[in-house]
Amino acid sequence: MRATLPRMLASLLLAVLLPVILPVLLPAPTALWAADVMLQDGTWVMNTTTNVVQAEIAGKGETVCLPRVEFLQEVDPGELQKALKEGVKRQGAVFHLYHDGLGRPKRIGNLLFSQDVYLKDLKMTYVGYLRSLGFRVKVSKKAAFEDPDYLRNVQGGAYLAEKHQPTGAAPGATPSDEPARPAGPGPAPSGAGGVSVKTAWDVMPAGVLPPAARKMKKEIEAKIREIKTRPYQKEIIQVDPVRWASGRMGTLTADGSIAGATVEGQKPALRIPPPTTAGWLTPARVQALAGQPCEFILFRSAAGRDLVAKGVYPLADIYFVDLGLTWDDWLTSEGLAPASGVVEAGAATGPVRLAVKVAEGTWKGLKAPVLAEVAFSAAPAGVLPTEILRTTPAEGPLGDAKAFLGRFNAATAGQPVSVSLLVCPDGKPYLELGQKRAQRVLFPRTNKTLAILLKELAGPAAPSAPPAP
């Protein structure tokens, strides 16, 4: 009786205390719902980024966002993505999903949020797998939806470069696959406020981009590398063996000479090969061609200038604008036999490369839409102290030419200019009908070229003119 009494007291005490102790030692079935997370079976499909997972949960495709993962060491993003792709294949998983307190996963937009993921085949959590690869990582205690900046980047599809940098690294620190920047002050990264700009190709891992996009990315990168390594090449200026010059037809003579023709504002002596038919030139034919608008096709010499023989410019051809006929076409239409195989001595047989010589001077003004007067402080060889130069014509119509020239010269006269003069292979200035040619005229005060100013000041309602000296 004495032996059984202690056992009876112990049994009675256990019966009284057990209902109190068990709830403390063993959580009730509803305890998981009362916690921050709920366990949910599903399938790990793939990781989109280090912190975003594509999954199948309850038979639906879902995007699951993990808390911010910070790497405590430098990590090569490409090697990391390769390790994740090779190691974490499609498999069953248990997602530790945050819930809304009523047993439903918390959702913002198309995102679910998980504290971690247990990978059934690997028999470890996702964070544990990262650590098993040798990475030192720290997981934020905040859920992704409690970290507004992080959530905004995730929703924008950005792949945060700072995840692959040591904690505490300065913003804009260089990833391991780029050359390190020297310490100390230096030029700010590109982009407003020193923030580097990244494209989708920079921020998304290779496995996410479709094959066509990856191929295009590689081709563009290869082209950029080629351009960057290509040596600098300055502009190459060359002229053809012949040159077209607008004008009006003069008076023909039987030997093919043309008197009184107007070519680009001048009246040079011209010559065209006459037909082989005797007595070909009649007063009616002279009258029919006189004054016709033409394109005169001039030979160029081997040095690149307009070819001149004894003060006469031989012509390779003439195009009659109104008739729509070349010289040979017109002769044929008149029943005449054109001369063929005529070769001018000294004519260029191929393109001629020209050089550029820059000279500083003072702008005097335009004498015509394509003629400019410039006074040079130190005139190059073959250039007069004050020279009339041929310039590039304006892109569009100038309206009333006389009114335009007055307006333009009033706005620009007296300004300093830098003139790029064309020079032939023999070192002498390039000439067109005896006039030197300026490839470009720059007004340093406004940093505008003559072509730009012509465009700005053209038309009746001209914009504000450059400041007077």
Side-chain angles (χ1 to χ4, degrees):
M1 184 68 178
R2 290 180 179 179
T4 59
L5 183 58
R7 286 198 295 270
M8 293 174 61
L9 291 174
S11 299
L12 181 60
L13 184 61
L14 185 60
V16 173
L17 296 179
L18 193 58
V20 178
I21 295 173
L22 283 178
V24 177
L25 298 179
L26 300 174
T30 58
L32 287 175
W33 301 104
D36 292 332
V37 296
M38 56 183 285
L39 305 183
Q40 180 70 54
D41 272 315
T43 302
W44 173 291
V45 177
M46 64 177 289
N47 62 297
T48 304
T49 69
T50 309
N51 300 66
V52 179
V53 177
Q54 298 299 321
E56 289 179 5
I57 298 175
K60 294 172 55 180
E62 299 283 5
T63 301
V64 180
C65 179
L66 299 171
R68 185 193 295 265
V69 176
E70 296 177 356
F71 287 77
L72 306 179
Q73 66 193 84
E74 282 196 4
V75 176
D76 186 330
E79 292 297 324
L80 174 60
Q81 289 301 326
K82 182 179 178 182
L84 293 176
K85 184 178 180 181
E86 294 175 353
V88 187
K89 300 184 182 298
R90 184 185 180 99
Q91 59 187 280
V94 179
F95 296 87
H96 300 210
L97 298 178
Y98 291 92
H99 63 84
D100 59 1
L102 300 176
R104 294 175 301 194
K106 186 173 183 64
R107 184 187 297 272
I108 297 179
N110 66 333
L111 288 178
L112 298 181
F113 302 89
S114 182
Q115 191 180 67
D116 204 346
V117 184
Y118 180 80
L119 302 165
K120 293 183 179 181
D121 290 352
L122 296 177
K123 295 181 174 57
M124 64 179 69
T125 65
Y126 172 64
V127 174
Y129 175 75
L130 292 176
R131 292 188 174 122
S132 73
L133 295 176
F135 300 122
R136 292 187 297 115
V137 299
K138 182 177 73 173
V139 182
S140 174
K141 294 181 179 179
K142 283 185 177 181
F145 54 84
E146 295 176 343
D147 188 343
D149 292 336
Y150 172 59
L151 180 60
R152 185 162 49 250
N153 282 299
V154 170
Q155 289 176 322
Y159 183 63
L160 303 180
E162 57 264 27
K163 294 201 299 289
H164 306 299
Q165 300 303 322
T167 301
T174 307
S176 58
D177 59 343
E178 296 180 0
R181 297 181 186 274
S190 60
V195 179
S196 60
V197 179
K198 292 182 178 292
T199 67
W201 287 342
D202 300 313
V203 301
M204 297 296 287
V208 176
L209 295 175
R214 290 200 298 271
K215 179 182 178 183
M216 182 170 60
K217 174 179 181 290
K218 290 179 181 178
E219 291 174 351
I220 291 176
E221 287 175 344
K223 190 67 176 177
I224 291 173
R225 284 195 300 271
E226 178 189 347
I227 292 172
K228 285 183 176 179
T229 56
R230 185 185 302 164
Y232 172 75
Q233 294 181 349
K234 64 181 181 180
E235 181 185 8
I236 296 175
I237 300 173
Q238 62 182 22
V239 292
D240 295 326
V242 296
R243 181 174 78 87
W244 288 52
S246 299
R248 285 190 175 273
M249 188 65 179
T251 303
L252 269 171
T253 59
D255 64 351
S257 297
I258 304 171
T262 302
V263 186
E264 295 179 336
Q266 300 187 63
K267 291 186 177 295
L270 306 174
R271 186 182 74 247
I272 188 77
T276 58
T277 307
W280 70 276
L281 189 61
T282 63
R285 287 172 178 160
V286 172
Q287 186 65 28
L289 294 182
Q292 281 280 345
C294 299
E295 291 289 340
F296 297 98
I297 302 174
L298 301 163
F299 284 105
R300 280 196 171 104
S301 68
R305 304 178 190 88
D306 292 341
L307 183 64
V308 185
K310 298 180 180 180
V312 178
Y313 290 87
L315 297 175
D317 205 346
I318 304 173
Y319 177 73
F320 299 101
V321 177
D322 288 350
L323 301 177
L325 300 172
T326 63
W327 172 247
D328 284 358
D329 291 339
W330 180 79
L331 292 177
T332 302
S333 70
E334 293 289 318
L336 305 173
S340 60
V342 179
V343 178
E344 289 292 336
T349 57
V352 180
R353 183 174 294 186
L354 305 179
V356 174
K357 183 177 292 184
V358 179
E360 306 299 327
T362 302
W363 180 259
K364 295 296 185 181
L366 287 174
K367 298 298 183 182
V370 292
L371 293 177
E373 184 179 10
V374 178
F376 293 100
S377 52
V383 178
L384 299 174
T386 300
E387 191 74 74
I388 302 294
L389 303 174
R390 294 178 64 83
T391 59
T392 304
E395 293 181 2
L398 301 177
D400 185 336
K402 185 176 180 179
F404 172 79
L405 293 177
R407 184 169 69 247
F408 187 89
N409 292 335
T412 59
Q415 292 197 41
V417 288
S418 294
V419 182
S420 300
L421 294 167
L422 292 179
V423 179
C424 293
D426 59 7
K428 298 178 182 178
Y430 167 79
L431 301 176
E432 290 180 355
L433 294 179
Q435 294 176 326
K436 300 173 183 69
R437 170 73 182 271
Q439 174 72 359
R440 190 182 76 152
V441 179
L442 175 68
F443 293 78
R445 287 183 182 174
T446 59
N447 200 31
K448 294 180 180 179
T449 63
L450 175 61
I452 293 175
L453 292 179
L454 287 173
K455 187 175 181 179
E456 288 184 352
L457 294 175
S464 58

